[in-house]
Amino acid sequence: MAVRFERRGTVGLVTLSKPDRHNALAGDLVAALLDTLDRPDARQASALVIAGDGPSFCAGADIGDLLQAGWMGPAPSGPTPMDLFERLDGHPRPTVAAVHGRALGGGFELMLCCDLAVAAEDAAFALPELGLGVVPNTGLARLVQIAGPRHALDLILTRRRIGAAEAAALGLVSRVVPAAELVDRAVEFARAIIDGAPPGAIAAVKRAVRRAAPLDWAEVRGMLAEVPAGEWAEGLGAFRDRRPPDYSEFWRKSDA
């Protein structure tokens, strides 16, 4: 089972459950998450908490599916992480990410597409995609909105990892808590949002915030086409083959 769902009273807890793969966003996990968001009991929950099993929240997109399912091209087979991010971004209920361990690449972007986030003290965040010749499109757009352009450029261009304390200082997470208390504290946080407030007003606030900080999903998806196919093919292929990427040819052409 790639995703588990349970109710914690009025809060729905969605748990990524492929710990042996560090909850990487493979096609089956993406499809299961999308299906879970559409479940009647999930739709009836007043708020959702997104968490992960095992040592990581989510270690990013599955490289095999990036290559084999055509996620980098114009006609992917099956749902993509981008479909999941867009669905989550537009969800009418409050969504809270409960992040522990690694939240890398698509896992970081998954967290950014939730309304709010609670991080365990051991959480680590990074957007390493650029080193693979891939633009972290959703992460870039949301990161600029939340942390500002200079912090976004710092994290995206350097690909460095930051801990929970720095993520909180940048406004990326709202709370930092002991790892053993993460899910319970995230559920409490979600419950504090919905207790005493009606769903229509909450949904209106979410829509107003999204209008104030709009995300043009067509433009976000279009960022994929801006990177030459040879660059991401080399980067992703090198990662798959466990070798350093060689971008020297592309640098020579860029100087021509």
Short mmCIF file of all heavy atoms in Angstrom, two decimals, residues 81-119:
data_model
loop_
_atom_site.label_atom_id
_atom_site.label_comp_id
_atom_site.label_asym_id
_atom_site.label_seq_id
_atom_site.Cartn_x
_atom_site.Cartn_y
_atom_site.Cartn_z
N PRO A 81 4.05 14.11 -10.69
CA PRO A 81 4.11 14.92 -9.46
C PRO A 81 3.50 16.30 -9.65
O PRO A 81 2.88 16.84 -8.73
CB PRO A 81 5.60 15.00 -9.17
CG PRO A 81 6.16 13.72 -9.72
CD PRO A 81 5.36 13.48 -10.98
N MET A 82 3.63 16.88 -10.85
CA MET A 82 3.05 18.20 -11.10
C MET A 82 1.53 18.17 -10.94
O MET A 82 0.93 19.11 -10.41
CB MET A 82 3.42 18.68 -12.50
CG MET A 82 3.00 20.10 -12.79
SD MET A 82 4.08 21.28 -12.00
CE MET A 82 5.59 20.96 -12.88
N ASP A 83 0.90 17.09 -11.41
CA ASP A 83 -0.55 16.96 -11.24
C ASP A 83 -0.91 16.94 -9.75
O ASP A 83 -1.89 17.55 -9.32
CB ASP A 83 -1.06 15.68 -11.91
CG ASP A 83 -0.83 15.67 -13.41
OD1 ASP A 83 -1.00 16.72 -14.04
OD2 ASP A 83 -0.47 14.60 -13.94
N LEU A 84 -0.10 16.22 -8.98
CA LEU A 84 -0.33 16.14 -7.54
C LEU A 84 -0.15 17.51 -6.89
O LEU A 84 -0.98 17.93 -6.07
CB LEU A 84 0.64 15.13 -6.92
CG LEU A 84 0.67 15.06 -5.41
CD1 LEU A 84 -0.67 14.61 -4.84
CD2 LEU A 84 1.79 14.12 -4.94
N PHE A 85 0.93 18.22 -7.25
CA PHE A 85 1.18 19.53 -6.65
C PHE A 85 0.04 20.50 -6.94
O PHE A 85 -0.40 21.24 -6.07
CB PHE A 85 2.50 20.10 -7.17
CG PHE A 85 3.72 19.27 -6.88
CD1 PHE A 85 4.85 19.36 -7.67
CD2 PHE A 85 3.74 18.39 -5.81
CE1 PHE A 85 5.97 18.61 -7.41
CE2 PHE A 85 4.87 17.61 -5.54
CZ PHE A 85 5.99 17.72 -6.34
N GLU A 86 -0.43 20.49 -8.19
CA GLU A 86 -1.51 21.41 -8.55
C GLU A 86 -2.79 21.07 -7.80
O GLU A 86 -3.50 21.96 -7.33
CB GLU A 86 -1.75 21.36 -10.06
CG GLU A 86 -2.77 22.39 -10.53
CD GLU A 86 -2.88 22.48 -12.03
OE1 GLU A 86 -2.20 21.69 -12.75
OE2 GLU A 86 -3.65 23.34 -12.52
N ARG A 87 -3.09 19.78 -7.67
CA ARG A 87 -4.29 19.38 -6.94
C ARG A 87 -4.19 19.78 -5.47
O ARG A 87 -5.16 20.30 -4.89
CB ARG A 87 -4.46 17.86 -7.05
CG ARG A 87 -5.67 17.30 -6.28
CD ARG A 87 -6.95 17.44 -7.05
NE ARG A 87 -6.87 16.68 -8.29
CZ ARG A 87 -7.13 15.36 -8.37
NH1 ARG A 87 -7.51 14.69 -7.29
NH2 ARG A 87 -7.03 14.73 -9.52
N LEU A 88 -3.04 19.55 -4.88
CA LEU A 88 -2.86 19.88 -3.47
C LEU A 88 -2.91 21.39 -3.25
O LEU A 88 -3.51 21.88 -2.30
CB LEU A 88 -1.53 19.30 -2.98
CG LEU A 88 -1.27 19.26 -1.48
CD1 LEU A 88 -2.34 18.44 -0.76
CD2 LEU A 88 0.11 18.67 -1.21
N ASP A 89 -2.29 22.14 -4.16
CA ASP A 89 -2.26 23.59 -4.06
C ASP A 89 -3.67 24.19 -4.08
O ASP A 89 -3.94 25.19 -3.43
CB ASP A 89 -1.43 24.17 -5.20
CG ASP A 89 -1.23 25.66 -5.09
OD1 ASP A 89 -0.50 26.09 -4.18
OD2 ASP A 89 -1.80 26.40 -5.91
N GLY A 90 -4.57 23.56 -4.83
CA GLY A 90 -5.93 24.08 -4.94
C GLY A 90 -6.93 23.41 -4.03
O GLY A 90 -8.13 23.64 -4.16
N HIS A 91 -6.46 22.60 -3.09
CA HIS A 91 -7.39 21.86 -2.22
C HIS A 91 -8.16 22.84 -1.33
O HIS A 91 -7.58 23.77 -0.77
CB HIS A 91 -6.61 20.87 -1.35
CG HIS A 91 -7.45 19.77 -0.79
ND1 HIS A 91 -8.28 19.95 0.28
CD2 HIS A 91 -7.61 18.48 -1.17
CE1 HIS A 91 -8.89 18.81 0.55
NE2 HIS A 91 -8.51 17.90 -0.32
N PRO A 92 -9.47 22.65 -1.17
CA PRO A 92 -10.25 23.62 -0.39
C PRO A 92 -10.04 23.54 1.11
O PRO A 92 -10.31 24.50 1.82
CB PRO A 92 -11.71 23.26 -0.75
CG PRO A 92 -11.65 21.81 -1.12
CD PRO A 92 -10.32 21.63 -1.80
N ARG A 93 -9.55 22.40 1.61
CA ARG A 93 -9.34 22.24 3.05
C ARG A 93 -7.93 22.67 3.43
O ARG A 93 -7.00 22.63 2.61
CB ARG A 93 -9.53 20.78 3.47
CG ARG A 93 -10.88 20.19 3.13
CD ARG A 93 -12.01 20.89 3.85
NE ARG A 93 -13.23 20.09 3.86
CZ ARG A 93 -14.44 20.59 3.85
NH1 ARG A 93 -14.62 21.90 3.78
NH2 ARG A 93 -15.49 19.80 3.88
N PRO A 94 -7.71 23.07 4.68
CA PRO A 94 -6.35 23.36 5.13
C PRO A 94 -5.49 22.10 5.05
O PRO A 94 -5.93 21.01 5.41
CB PRO A 94 -6.53 23.80 6.59
CG PRO A 94 -7.96 24.20 6.70
CD PRO A 94 -8.71 23.33 5.74
N THR A 95 -4.28 22.26 4.54
CA THR A 95 -3.35 21.14 4.42
C THR A 95 -2.06 21.47 5.17
O THR A 95 -1.52 22.57 5.04
CB THR A 95 -3.03 20.83 2.96
OG1 THR A 95 -2.53 22.01 2.31
CG2 THR A 95 -4.28 20.35 2.22
N VAL A 96 -1.59 20.51 5.95
CA VAL A 96 -0.39 20.70 6.77
C VAL A 96 0.58 19.57 6.48
O VAL A 96 0.21 18.39 6.59
CB VAL A 96 -0.72 20.71 8.27
CG1 VAL A 96 0.55 20.84 9.11
CG2 VAL A 96 -1.70 21.85 8.60
N ALA A 97 1.80 19.89 6.08
CA ALA A 97 2.83 18.88 5.89
C ALA A 97 3.52 18.62 7.23
O ALA A 97 3.85 19.56 7.95
CB ALA A 97 3.86 19.34 4.87
N ALA A 98 3.72 17.35 7.55
CA ALA A 98 4.46 16.94 8.75
C ALA A 98 5.76 16.33 8.26
O ALA A 98 5.78 15.18 7.80
CB ALA A 98 3.65 15.95 9.56
N VAL A 99 6.85 17.08 8.34
CA VAL A 99 8.10 16.73 7.66
C VAL A 99 9.15 16.24 8.66
O VAL A 99 9.46 16.94 9.63
CB VAL A 99 8.65 17.93 6.88
CG1 VAL A 99 9.91 17.54 6.12
CG2 VAL A 99 7.59 18.47 5.92
N HIS A 100 9.68 15.07 8.38
CA HIS A 100 10.81 14.56 9.16
C HIS A 100 11.86 14.04 8.19
O HIS A 100 11.57 13.80 7.01
CB HIS A 100 10.37 13.43 10.10
CG HIS A 100 10.14 12.13 9.38
ND1 HIS A 100 9.06 11.92 8.55
CD2 HIS A 100 10.87 10.99 9.34
CE1 HIS A 100 9.10 10.70 8.05
NE2 HIS A 100 10.20 10.12 8.51
N GLY A 101 13.07 13.84 8.66
CA GLY A 101 14.10 13.31 7.79
C GLY A 101 14.29 14.17 6.56
O GLY A 101 14.27 15.39 6.62
N ARG A 102 14.43 13.51 5.42
CA ARG A 102 14.74 14.24 4.19
C ARG A 102 13.47 14.66 3.45
O ARG A 102 12.56 13.86 3.25
CB ARG A 102 15.60 13.36 3.27
CG ARG A 102 17.01 13.13 3.82
CD ARG A 102 17.87 12.38 2.84
NE ARG A 102 17.43 11.00 2.67
CZ ARG A 102 17.98 10.13 1.81
NH1 ARG A 102 18.96 10.53 1.03
NH2 ARG A 102 17.55 8.90 1.74
N ALA A 103 13.45 15.91 3.04
CA ALA A 103 12.44 16.43 2.11
C ALA A 103 13.22 17.06 0.97
O ALA A 103 13.59 18.23 1.01
CB ALA A 103 11.54 17.45 2.80
N LEU A 104 13.50 16.25 -0.04
CA LEU A 104 14.40 16.66 -1.12
C LEU A 104 13.64 16.77 -2.43
O LEU A 104 12.73 15.98 -2.71
CB LEU A 104 15.53 15.64 -1.28
CG LEU A 104 16.31 15.27 -0.02
CD1 LEU A 104 17.40 14.25 -0.35
CD2 LEU A 104 16.91 16.50 0.64
N GLY A 105 14.02 17.72 -3.26
CA GLY A 105 13.45 17.82 -4.58
C GLY A 105 11.93 17.87 -4.54
O GLY A 105 11.32 18.76 -3.95
N GLY A 106 11.30 16.88 -5.18
CA GLY A 106 9.85 16.81 -5.20
C GLY A 106 9.23 16.70 -3.82
O GLY A 106 8.09 17.13 -3.62
N GLY A 107 9.97 16.16 -2.85
CA GLY A 107 9.47 16.11 -1.48
C GLY A 107 9.40 17.49 -0.86
O GLY A 107 8.46 17.82 -0.13
N PHE A 108 10.40 18.31 -1.14
CA PHE A 108 10.41 19.71 -0.70
C PHE A 108 9.25 20.45 -1.37
O PHE A 108 8.51 21.21 -0.73
CB PHE A 108 11.75 20.33 -1.09
CG PHE A 108 12.08 21.65 -0.44
CD1 PHE A 108 13.36 22.17 -0.55
CD2 PHE A 108 11.15 22.39 0.27
CE1 PHE A 108 13.71 23.38 0.02
CE2 PHE A 108 11.48 23.61 0.86
CZ PHE A 108 12.77 24.10 0.72
N GLU A 109 9.05 20.19 -2.68
CA GLU A 109 7.97 20.85 -3.41
C GLU A 109 6.60 20.41 -2.90
O GLU A 109 5.66 21.22 -2.83
CB GLU A 109 8.11 20.56 -4.90
CG GLU A 109 9.38 21.16 -5.50
CD GLU A 109 9.54 20.86 -6.97
OE1 GLU A 109 8.91 21.56 -7.78
OE2 GLU A 109 10.29 19.94 -7.32
N LEU A 110 6.47 19.14 -2.55
CA LEU A 110 5.23 18.64 -1.97
C LEU A 110 4.89 19.41 -0.70
O LEU A 110 3.76 19.83 -0.48
CB LEU A 110 5.35 17.15 -1.67
CG LEU A 110 4.15 16.46 -1.02
CD1 LEU A 110 2.95 16.45 -1.94
CD2 LEU A 110 4.52 15.03 -0.62
N MET A 111 5.90 19.63 0.14
CA MET A 111 5.71 20.41 1.37
C MET A 111 5.31 21.84 1.05
O MET A 111 4.40 22.40 1.68
CB MET A 111 7.00 20.38 2.20
CG MET A 111 6.92 21.13 3.53
SD MET A 111 7.35 22.89 3.41
CE MET A 111 9.12 22.80 3.18
N LEU A 112 5.95 22.45 0.04
CA LEU A 112 5.65 23.84 -0.31
C LEU A 112 4.23 24.01 -0.85
O LEU A 112 3.67 25.10 -0.77
CB LEU A 112 6.66 24.34 -1.35
CG LEU A 112 8.10 24.55 -0.87
CD1 LEU A 112 9.00 24.87 -2.05
CD2 LEU A 112 8.18 25.66 0.17
N CYS A 113 3.65 22.94 -1.41
CA CYS A 113 2.30 23.03 -1.95
C CYS A 113 1.23 22.79 -0.89
O CYS A 113 0.04 22.96 -1.17
CB CYS A 113 2.13 22.06 -3.11
SG CYS A 113 2.97 22.62 -4.60
N CYS A 114 1.64 22.40 0.31
CA CYS A 114 0.70 22.39 1.44
C CYS A 114 0.58 23.82 1.97
O CYS A 114 1.48 24.64 1.80
CB CYS A 114 1.20 21.45 2.54
SG CYS A 114 1.15 19.69 2.10
N ASP A 115 -0.51 24.10 2.64
CA ASP A 115 -0.72 25.45 3.15
C ASP A 115 0.31 25.82 4.21
O ASP A 115 0.80 26.95 4.25
CB ASP A 115 -2.12 25.58 3.74
CG ASP A 115 -3.21 25.38 2.70
OD1 ASP A 115 -3.06 25.88 1.58
OD2 ASP A 115 -4.21 24.71 3.03
N LEU A 116 0.60 24.88 5.09
CA LEU A 116 1.50 25.12 6.21
C LEU A 116 2.32 23.86 6.45
O LEU A 116 2.01 22.79 5.90
CB LEU A 116 0.69 25.47 7.47
CG LEU A 116 -0.14 26.77 7.39
CD1 LEU A 116 -1.20 26.80 8.48
CD2 LEU A 116 0.77 27.99 7.48
N ALA A 117 3.35 23.98 7.27
CA ALA A 117 4.20 22.82 7.54
C ALA A 117 4.70 22.84 8.96
O ALA A 117 4.99 23.91 9.53
CB ALA A 117 5.38 22.77 6.57
N VAL A 118 4.80 21.64 9.54
CA VAL A 118 5.44 21.42 10.83
C VAL A 118 6.64 20.52 10.56
O VAL A 118 6.52 19.52 9.84
CB VAL A 118 4.48 20.75 11.82
CG1 VAL A 118 5.18 20.45 13.14
CG2 VAL A 118 3.25 21.62 12.05
N ALA A 119 7.79 20.86 11.09
CA ALA A 119 9.00 20.08 10.84
C ALA A 119 9.54 19.46 12.11
O ALA A 119 9.52 20.10 13.18
CB ALA A 119 10.08 20.96 10.20
#
